[in-house]
Amino acid sequence: SFVDTTLGWRLGIVRYGVKRGIEPEGFQIDVEGGSFIRSTSGGGNDLQSMDLRVGVPVTWREGPFQAKLSVYHVESHVVDDYLLAHPGFIPNGYSRTAFVAGVGYFLFDDLRLYSEVGWSISGSGGDRPWEWQGGFEWASSKPTGLRGAPYVAVNGHLREATHGSGSINAIAGWQWRRS
């Protein structure tokens, strides 16, 4: 068994548009990054791998419509301690740099559908050009107060690199949102 840890961020750099509380409209340029760390859960918590992702998304929203253009780079690293403990293991050096185009639409104030397609411009370690993801989010679009409100999201991600297979992730929880 493994312990997976994620630390990430997204920072707005430039914004132009109309501020309407928690539903702003206009364009925004962000920078984003994340580190994904895997270690064993047995006794020593030995570090096995670390993946890194950086990107620059440009997003736009007007009314219920959203659009996104982005470029990102991701790479995987097997850490030195793991390689020393497993001398026969040969890492494949996976990396991917891709362009992404996506759309989103709010069917109702609290229900958003989205889809995006990505194309790799360079990669290694078994990378293939195409990927697709899409899903929905159901969350309160208004301030929730102290009581909060439920949140549900489902995302599917298919990749050509895995012969069209992929993953489905679902999350449910409680959120607190202020204006």
Side-chain angles (χ1 to χ4, degrees):
S1 60
F2 303 100
V3 175
D4 288 330
T5 306
T6 302
L7 177 62
W9 48 267
R10 185 170 182 160
L11 178 65
I13 300 297
V14 176
R15 173 150 186 64
Y16 177 77
V18 177
K19 184 174 180 175
R20 294 185 325 153
I22 56 178
E23 298 175 348
E25 293 185 346
F27 290 91
Q28 182 162 320
I29 300 173
D30 297 325
V31 291
E32 63 185 6
S35 176
F36 310 89
I37 299 168
R38 174 168 279 183
S39 58
T40 60
S41 61
N45 274 342
D46 293 327
L47 187 60
Q48 289 193 335
S49 65
M50 182 170 63
D51 299 345
L52 302 169
R53 177 185 166 118
V54 295
V56 179
V58 177
T59 54
W60 166 80
R61 178 176 179 181
E62 186 173 329
F65 298 100
Q66 298 174 309
K68 171 177 130 178
L69 293 174
S70 177
V71 62
Y72 74 86
H73 176 77
V74 64
E75 55 186 65
S76 296
H77 299 277
V78 177
V79 297
D80 291 343
D81 291 343
Y82 185 84
L83 293 172
L84 290 172
H86 300 86
F89 183 81
I90 300 172
N92 69 356
Y94 180 82
S95 71
R96 176 180 178 87
T97 302
F99 287 115
V100 175
V103 294
Y105 183 77
F106 283 88
L107 285 176
F108 309 104
D109 286 345
D110 296 346
L111 179 62
R112 180 176 84 103
L113 303 177
Y114 63 90
S115 179
E116 66 181 43
V117 63
W119 174 261
S120 177
I121 57 174
S122 71
S124 64
D127 182 45
R128 299 290 181 266
W130 290 104
E131 69 177 323
W132 171 86
Q133 67 178 325
F136 75 88
E137 298 171 334
W138 179 66
S140 176
S141 62
K142 306 293 183 231
T144 60
L146 292 176
R147 288 187 325 213
Y151 173 87
V152 175
V154 175
N155 182 77
H157 188 194
L158 303 175
R159 297 178 39 220
E160 185 181 4
T162 56
H163 307 290
S165 66
S167 62
I168 295 176
N169 295 292
I171 186 169
W174 208 257
Q175 70 172 2
W176 287 266
R177 187 172 221 170
R178 59 181 206 184
S179 58

